[in-house]
Amino acid sequence: MITDTIKKFVSRLFSPAARGPQRITSDKHGIDRRNVSRHAIKVCEVLRQHGYEAYIVGGAVRDLIVGLEPKDFDVATNATPEQIRPLFRRARIIGRRFQLVHVVFGQEIIETSTFRAPASQDQETDEHGRILRDNVFGSQEQDAARRDFTMNALYYDPHNEEVIDYHQGVHDLKKRQVRMIGDPATRYREDPVRMLRAVRFAAKLNGSIDPATRQPIETMASLIENVPASRLFDEMLKLLTCGHAMDCLRQLRADGLHHGLLPLLDVVLEQPGGERFVELALERTDSRVRAGKSISPSFLFAALLWQQVESRWKQLREQGEHNIPALVQAADSVLDEQTEKLAIQRRFSSDMREIWFMQPRFERRMGKTIYRMIEQPRFRAACDFLQLRAAAGEFDSVLAQWWMDLANGNDATRADMIEELAHLPRDPAESSGPRKRRRRPRRPAAQHDQA
Ligand code: ATP
Ligand code: MG
């Protein structure tokens, strides 16, 4: 009896909540203040001067500790949106369900939100336990508890350069281990997108998912189906453009999670022979992201679905359909079938079509049509796409390079290149005359069959 009481007392004494948060000094966490956005520091300072607490929080702190460059900086504070807004010249309250403030400094927006309370019993959920509303202000400790992983629940105070850590996040981060705050299964049920986030952060940090955090994923993966398509799309895009998309996909596959977790991946990873092309597309995306270059989602999705389009295109041609109508039909059928399921937004699908439809036009170089092609808004993307096809061995690489040079050239260079074409010996594969129409195979006449 007494030992039980003592045990309880001791465990309470050592539970994170009883001990309060760890306060980690800069010599231990290693964040160099010079790498912190001065605008984020400014937001914290102003709030502090007005008597509030304010910290840089979330992904930025995580990335700074491991030496990555944060994508953006978020601030968390105990001031309410109405209290925050008047303190800054350019600030607007956004969001209806949970309001937060965008403090604007030229190009940079510092998203500033009020500490939030975590899920409670009477929270509104769907029939699978997914939280539908999450909008109660809370304390810093509560705010930490409602975040997903320990490494994402760190608060950096620019004033004294300390990191406040309620869940041993710095420790996990140094081990590069993604660990869920609270009971993983419950947290996945509340928000299934967290499964994808776990995989993404592990790949991004070149680390791993803590075994207890990883264990429920396999059986719970199907809950992803209940997530609204637009949210899933955002998360999928983050995964594909995190700079480690290939690692993410390998991991998802190794864990058997590519089934059901992301419908797009089923399509992409399961097609025979399509792997090389997809790999090339993702490697290219990864290296662009790591070099700080922009990524076009339409290009990426066009690449991921190309093998499907191509094989249907081929099929239709074999059935006697003409080249271009066959391609249009193939694209339509892939998109019709996949858009809804894949959560690819309509605005991207029209760009994807343009990129695809330009492909057969690269096969023949004819002065007049080249000028028309250059004027197309997706010409550049379509040329980039052609390079992928060349790298995958499905298009002549010299010809692909010619188009790339054309895309990179100025008006004068382009005119020269097109002019030179007239003097080149014709490649028979690239004949300039009207293409012979492929005939539909004629059905053998019935009487012959019978004869
Ligand atoms: P990045 O922006 O690099 O993708 P991030 O950690 O900043 O990573 P955001 O989606 O910008 O991710 O979210 C900011 C923070 O909000 C996270 O660090 C985490 O603390 C919290 N958060 C985001 N999504 C969730 C979620 N689904 N469940 C719980 N907390 C979340
Ligand atoms: Mg972020």
Side-chain angles (χ1 to χ4, degrees), residues 409-421:
N410 57 22
D411 285 351
T413 332
R414 286 173 173 176
D416 286 348
M417 286 177 74
I418 294 167
E419 168 66 26
E420 266 170 30
L421 274 184

Side-chain angles (χ1 to χ4, degrees), residues 134-152:
D134 179 13
N135 55 358
V136 189
F137 296 143
S139 65
Q140 184 187 40
E141 187 178 342
Q142 287 177 315
D143 187 81
R146 61 158 277 282
R147 292 177 184 272
D148 45 7
F149 306 108
T150 60
M151 61 173 64
N152 283 347

Side-chain angles (χ1 to χ4, degrees), residues 59 71-72 74 238:
K71 274 203 316 244
D72 40 39
D74 298 334
K238 278 190 175 184

Side-chain angles (χ1 to χ4, degrees), residues 114-150:
T114 310
F115 294 145
R116 239 192 272 189
S120 62
Q121 290 303 317
D122 49 6
Q123 204 128 24
E124 194 183 338
T125 61
D126 70 6
E127 72 268 33
H128 307 281
R130 192 169 61 84
I131 293 180
L132 299 177
R133 278 170 211 282
D134 179 13
N135 55 358
V136 189
F137 296 143
S139 65
Q140 184 187 40
E141 187 178 342
Q142 287 177 315
D143 187 81
R146 61 158 277 282
R147 292 177 184 272
D148 45 7
F149 306 108
T150 60

Side-chain angles (χ1 to χ4, degrees), residues 145-431:
R146 61 158 277 282
R147 292 177 184 272
D148 45 7
F149 306 108
T150 60
M151 61 173 64
N152 283 347
L154 301 170
Y155 299 78
Y156 174 77
D157 182 344
H159 185 69
N160 60 15
E161 300 188 38
E162 278 181 0
V163 166
I164 300 181
D165 181 1
Y166 288 87
H167 299 279
Q168 318 259 312
V170 173
H171 172 260
D172 291 335
L173 189 52
K174 300 267 179 193
K175 283 201 308 186
R176 305 218 165 213
Q177 202 162 61
V178 179
R179 191 162 61 85
M180 184 70 89
I181 296 172
D183 171 50
T186 311
R187 306 291 321 272
Y188 292 136
R189 210 167 292 121
E190 287 170 3
D191 181 5
V193 160
R194 289 172 184 152
M195 294 186 258
L196 288 176
R197 291 175 60 87
V199 172
R200 171 159 65 91
F201 293 130
K204 179 170 169 174
L205 296 174
N206 199 9
S208 60
I209 306 177
D210 152 75
T213 300
R214 176 197 187 118
Q215 190 265 330
I217 297 183
E218 202 171 339
T219 46
M220 300 184 82
S222 62
L223 290 182
I224 287 280
E225 287 162 26
N226 310 316
V227 176
S230 62
R231 171 109 202 279
L232 199 55
F233 178 83
D234 290 345
E235 202 53 41
M236 181 165 66
L237 201 55
K238 278 190 175 184
L239 192 144
L240 292 171
T241 58
C242 74
H244 302 265
M246 255 339 274
D247 296 334
C248 284
L249 295 202
R250 280 200 197 103
Q251 190 58 49
L252 288 169
R253 229 181 175 182
D255 290 351
L257 291 181
H258 59 300
H259 284 294
L261 199 50
L262 272 186
L264 178 67
L265 299 185
D266 279 345
V267 177
V268 167
L269 295 174
E270 298 300 305
Q271 46 198 333
E275 237 170 275
R276 182 74 196 124
F277 194 84
V278 168
E279 249 177 54
L280 282 168
L282 291 177
E283 274 164 15
R284 175 191 174 281
T285 308
D286 284 349
S287 62
R288 279 186 71 91
V289 171
R290 291 189 208 178
K293 294 185 187 159
S294 66
I295 280 297
S296 133
S298 330
F299 181 93
L300 188 58
F301 291 123
L304 294 178
L305 291 178
W306 174 242
Q307 291 299 306
Q308 256 207 351
V309 172
E310 225 214 350
S311 80
R312 283 196 202 176
W313 183 21
K314 189 163 159 241
Q315 235 173 35
L316 288 164
R317 275 186 325 228
E318 280 165 6
Q319 289 165 12
E321 188 55 88
H322 296 311
N323 203 27
I324 304 294
L327 177 58
V328 174
Q329 217 175 305
D332 282 349
S333 76
V334 169
L335 283 171
D336 282 352
E337 215 172 84
Q338 307 292 357
T339 324
E340 204 83 332
K341 249 193 349 207
L342 301 182
I344 293 179
Q345 289 160 2
R346 299 261 168 220
R347 69 193 153 106
F348 295 118
S349 58
S350 74
D351 285 357
M352 290 164 69
R353 272 196 173 81
E354 280 184 44
I355 291 173
W356 289 335
F357 294 167
M358 198 98 72
Q359 297 310 309
R361 302 178 64 186
F362 288 126
E363 284 165 22
R364 287 185 300 151
R365 293 178 293 182
M366 287 196 303
K368 271 180 291 178
T369 56
I370 294 174
Y371 281 112
R372 249 181 275 134
M373 284 168 76
I374 294 175
E375 282 161 17
Q376 304 260 336
R378 300 283 144 240
F379 175 66
R380 174 84 221 188
C383 258
D384 276 344
F385 196 84
L386 188 68
Q387 307 311 305
L388 270 185
R389 294 179 61 213
E394 64 172 68
F395 193 87
D396 181 78
S397 56
V398 176
L399 191 53
Q401 187 57 50
W402 186 89
W403 283 104
M404 201 66 229
D405 293 343
L406 188 79
N408 289 333
N410 57 22
D411 285 351
T413 332
R414 286 173 173 176
D416 286 348
M417 286 177 74
I418 294 167
E419 168 66 26
E420 266 170 30
L421 274 184
H423 309 295
L424 283 182
R426 278 266 155 226
D427 180 342
E430 221 196 323
S431 103

